[in-house]
């Protein structure tokens, strides 16, 4: 960084000392001093308090919005409101050497940061973005900027005077100058495509000497460096990189001369840019590779090949619309060889396939006879068309693949069943069935709108991140959620319709009302340049959607559009499950036309007070389902007693799992039974009626007791203990919501074909809590008792439950229940 080093060498000792102190303040331990611009703030890593610890400090009452807003939030908001109330004012003239020195020392401090460093990112005011076209804005200079003002109707033309510096948080820092030679400090946030980029990629996109137009810039005071106010660019669509031959630069001259390093480009002609694009492609630097191929096209070198190369890069970035356009333009050129024409067709097919336009894939691939590759595309597209229209999938194959692969993204077509989004009589939006449906019917199977896997390679050098937004009252304690948001920015970069769809999702009570869902289809023009998104990105809304609607998936997080529009209930009518990063929604009870489809946002066995706190903290609402109303009426003291007893029986449960002899197991069963009896007394008399029999917190304790009784019974060949274990297992299913119609343990069952011993109009919402395994254990214990008929009926119940949960039957059950089946010989019941 020759230009920065020369600036530091030109400063006297006192200036260097003052600069070092200023930067040290900027990288201070005081997290409250971290500013919204994303400047790094260094802090000692500390353990976050658990939900239970937070709850123990708060009053014993019904949760309200005020309860979940910490004093820190309130103080920050008060300070931000005070600052925002002050009038705009002129900022100080920024010394060029001081600015360059700050950037250099900031970079050095971050390079020396250890893994315990937590970067505090504080957003104090609503994040802004411009929706005005650049050509409709008026030019201003640095001298025109006013602190505490967003310069509506204007743009700032500037060029960088040093290489970008990653700020350690969610952005990077720039030193810029206007044509008059006046310098400014710029903080570019949320430029998602450079979040995990290396220095080569960052310096390709915004190199030293790059000319930028900043749309409607905002100017802010820097609390830690008062003599260094900053321009804040919060939306990546507001920073426009201007090519040197752009007509808007006509008549523009630059007063100062750039240092030699700032004049050096990676390439100076089309051939060199193509070579750099290939180099970046091999290094998986997709964004800079796209820029390099764009420059090759601009210089007119090997244009159609470069265009096809860029199409492939766009496919890697998920910019299918622009990839399709590039492939089509190359085909329309009429200049492609047979080999290149085939490549262009393949890229066109890939883009259409990724966009879910399977019928068009069929039309193209079917015309290319005697070609094995295109025949494979015909087979795949035919399968997707069938899935899309019927909702019939090869569930066994999908579950086997999911079992083998990490970070699995299944190749499927999205299916949406008989559902619609509409408002109820109270004006609240929800999802409803459009016809009568049966338990286990598939309502949705969707790939994610965007997702992020927790890659060890990507996160290896991450510093800690604490992101807090005062205006929206949201926070995140790690980088995973910000990475997901970055994937969202990348997803909408090239897709106007997807951006509109995301704007139809709820983003929080402080932001504008979401648009109507589904949104009208909007045609997306291809990208004019890889660095210029096709939409004006409202980052605050997109962050709100991400934080409030993301689902946890294996090894990551994902966001889905339609499933996000289902409301919460602890007595849900549907269950969500995942195969890789694809979401499945199935009914778990019979529904009549017009009934609402609901999901449980939290694990149902979570105690009432913790559940209400988490719902209020994350989504700002109380749950008023039958279970929560019944739990509420039990009273705080009864619920606290229940929670304490749950902890005690969890300890006993660990001992039950480790027991190896019948005497110990019987003793532990006696202890468990006493605690369970005490827990049952914490539910008031009308609880079962109001909650439809659901007492979720009893389910796991009852399984502990059943396991202890069953283990002791088998070891001691005690039929009575085994029968008691079966009875308790049935009780655990009943409190989970399964209606048992035949709970008999002995005696001759009626002759002829018998129905299942459960009401098949409803199943429990807990696949993952072991209810299928519990039913298999009941079947096995009946087999141990020599009652093969009852064993078969309960085994068939397990197969039925599996078909409800996964759409599969016996073969899928064997895959999904392999750990449970491994300890039970039920092969003669298959």
């Amino acid at each position: 960084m020759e230009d920065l080093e020369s600036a530091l060498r030109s400063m006297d000792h006192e200036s260097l000392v003052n600069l070092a102190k200023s930067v040290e303040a900027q990288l201070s331990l005081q997290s409250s001093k971290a500013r919204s611009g994303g400047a790094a703030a260094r802090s000692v890593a500390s353990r976050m308090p658990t939900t239970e610890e937070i709850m123990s400090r708060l009053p014993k009452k019904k949760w309200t919005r005020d309860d979940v807003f910490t004093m820190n939030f309130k103080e920050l908001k008060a300070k931000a409101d005070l600052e925002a109330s002050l009038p705009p004012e002129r900022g100080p003239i920024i010394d060029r050497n001081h600015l360059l020195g700050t950037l250099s020392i900031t970079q050095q401090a971050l390079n020396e940061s250890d893994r315990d460093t937590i970067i505090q990112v504080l957003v104090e005011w609503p994040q802004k973005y411009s929706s005005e076209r650049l050509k409709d804005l008026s030019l201003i200079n640095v001298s025109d900027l006013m602190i505490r003002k967003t310069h509506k109707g204007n743009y700032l033309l500037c060029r960088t005077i040093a290489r970008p510096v990653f700020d350690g948080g969610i952005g990077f820092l720039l030193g810029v100058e206007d044509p008059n030679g006046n310098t400014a400090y710029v903080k570019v946030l949320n430029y998602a495509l450079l979040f995990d980029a290396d220095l080569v990629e960052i310096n390709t996109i915004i190199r030293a000497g790059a000319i930028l137009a900043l749309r409607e810039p905002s100017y802010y005071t820097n609390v830690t460096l008062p003599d260094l106010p900053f321009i804040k660019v919060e939306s990546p669509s507001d920073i426009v990189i201007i090519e040197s031959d752009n007509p808007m630069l006509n008549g523009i001259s630059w007063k100062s001369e750039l240092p030699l390093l700032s004049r050096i480009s990676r390439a100076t002609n089309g051939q060199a840019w193509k070579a750099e694009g290939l180099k970046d492609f091999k290094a998986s630097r997709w964004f800079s590779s796209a820029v390099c191929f764009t420059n090759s096209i601009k210089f007119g070198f090997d244009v159609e090949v470069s265009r096809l190369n860029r199409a492939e890069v766009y496919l890697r970035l998920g910019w299918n619309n622009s990839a399709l356009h590039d492939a089509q333009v190359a085909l329309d050129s009429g200049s492609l060889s047979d080999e290149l024409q085939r490549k262009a067709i393949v890229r066109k097919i890939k883009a259409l396939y990724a966009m879910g336009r399977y019928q068009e894939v069929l039309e193209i691939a079917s015309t290319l006879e005697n070609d094995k590759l295109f025949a494979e595309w015909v087979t795949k597209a035919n399968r997707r068309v069938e899935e899309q229209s019927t909702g019939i999938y090869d569930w066994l194959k999908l579950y086997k693949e999911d079992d083998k692969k990490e970070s699995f993204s299944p190749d499927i077509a999205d299916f949406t069943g008989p559902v619609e989004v509409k408002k109820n009589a109270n004006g609240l939006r929800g999802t409803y069935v459009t016809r009568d449906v049966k338990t286990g019917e598939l309502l949705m199977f969707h790939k994610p709108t965007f997702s992020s896997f927790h890659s060890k390679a990507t996160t290896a050098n991450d510093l800690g991140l604490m992101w807090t937004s005062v205006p929206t009252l949201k926070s995140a304690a790690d980088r995973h959620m910000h990475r997901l948001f970055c994937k969202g920015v990348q997803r909408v970069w090239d897709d106007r319709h997807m951006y509109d769809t995301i704007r139809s999702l709820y983003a929080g009570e402080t932001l504008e009302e979401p648009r109507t869902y589904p949104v009208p289809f909007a045609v997306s023009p291809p990208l004019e340049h890889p660095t210029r998104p096709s939409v004006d990105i409202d980052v605050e809304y997109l962050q709100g959607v991400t934080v409030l609607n993301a689902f946890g998936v294996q090894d990551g997080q994902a966001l889905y559009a339609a499933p996000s529009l289902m409301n919460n209930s602890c007595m849900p009518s549907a269950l969500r499950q995942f195969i890789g990063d694809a979401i499945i929604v199935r009914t778990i009870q019979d529904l009549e036309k017009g009934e609402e489809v609901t999901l449980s946002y939290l694990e149902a066995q979570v105690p009432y007070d913790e559940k209400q706190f988490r719902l209020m903290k994350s989504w700002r609402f109380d749950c008023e389902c039958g279970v929560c109303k019944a739990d509420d009426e039990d009273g705080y003291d009864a619920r606290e007693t229940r929670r304490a007893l749950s902890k005690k029986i969890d300890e006993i449960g660990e001992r039950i799992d480790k027991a190896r002899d019948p005497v110990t197991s019987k003793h532990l069963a006696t202890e468990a039974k006493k605690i369970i009896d005490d827990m049952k007394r914490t539910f008031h008399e009308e609880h079962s009626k109001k909650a439809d029999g659901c007492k979720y917190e009893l389910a796991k304790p009852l399984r502990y007791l059943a396991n202890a009784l069953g283990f002791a019974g088998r070891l001691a060949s005690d039929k009575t203990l085994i029968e008691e274990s079966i009875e308790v297992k049935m009780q655990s299913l009943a409190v989970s919501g399964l209606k048992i119609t035949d709970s008999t343990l002995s005696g001759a069952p009626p002759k002829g074909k018998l129905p299942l011993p459960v009401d098949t109009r409803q199943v429990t919402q807990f696949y993952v809590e072991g209810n299928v395994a519990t039913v298999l254990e009941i079947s096995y214990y009946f087999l141990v008792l020599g009652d093969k008929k009852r064993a078969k009926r309960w085994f068939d119940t397990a197969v039925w439950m599996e078909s409800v949960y996964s759409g599969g039957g016996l073969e899928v059950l064997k895959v999904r229940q392999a750990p449970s089946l491994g300890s039970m010989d039920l092969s003669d019941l298959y």
Side-chain angles (χ1 to χ4, degrees), residues 74-93:
K74 294 174 183 177
E75 291 171 3
L76 291 172
K77 191 174 188 312
K79 290 179 181 178
D81 290 343
L82 177 61
E83 176 76 10
S85 70
L86 299 175
E89 62 178 319
R90 294 283 176 192
I93 297 173

Side-chain angles (χ1 to χ4, degrees), residues 664-688:
T664 301
S665 292
K666 286 177 68 175
H667 174 72
L668 290 172
T670 301
E671 287 188 52
K673 188 175 186 307
K674 182 179 184 306
I675 293 174
I676 290 169
D677 288 341
D678 290 340
M679 286 184 71
K680 288 179 178 178
R681 283 190 282 271
T682 65
F683 296 92
H684 69 280
E685 289 183 5
E686 293 294 309
H687 190 290
S688 290

Side-chain angles (χ1 to χ4, degrees), residues 88 144 146-152 154 217-220:
D144 299 315
M146 300 286 287
I147 291 175
R148 289 187 296 274
K149 179 179 178 180
T150 297
H151 297 77
K152 290 290 186 180
N154 302 114
S218 299
Y219 204 39
Y220 291 99

Side-chain angles (χ1 to χ4, degrees), residues 243 245 267-278 288-314 322-323 325-327 329-330 333 347 526-530:
E243 303 300 318
D245 58 353
T268 57
N269 58 58
Q271 184 176 6
W273 276 117
K274 180 185 174 186
E276 291 297 309
L278 292 171
S288 57
S289 179
V291 170
C292 291
F293 289 131
T294 300
N295 288 337
S296 177
I297 294 168
K298 177 185 172 182
F299 276 99
F301 179 79
D302 214 355
V303 171
E304 302 313 328
V305 172
S306 294
R307 196 181 301 280
L308 287 177
N309 288 343
R310 188 174 69 176
E312 183 62 34
V313 176
Y314 280 166
S322 294
H325 178 265
D326 271 354
V329 169
S333 70
R347 278 159 207 185
L527 294 172
E528 294 181 8
H529 192 279

Side-chain angles (χ1 to χ4, degrees), residues 320-321 324-325 328 345-368 374 377-378 380-382 384-385 388 521:
N320 304 305
N321 179 58
L324 177 62
H325 178 265
Q328 189 61 58
I345 295 171
V346 168
R347 278 159 207 185
K348 182 178 179 180
I349 284 174
K350 284 182 178 179
L352 290 168
Y353 188 86
M355 297 164 80
R357 292 160 62 174
Y358 306 116
Q359 199 62 51
E360 292 175 69
V361 172
L362 279 173
E363 291 170 4
I364 296 170
S366 298
T367 62
L368 301 164
F374 291 111
W377 280 110
V378 169
K380 287 174 64 174
N382 270 320
R384 301 292 86 81
V385 168
Q388 203 170 49
F521 182 77

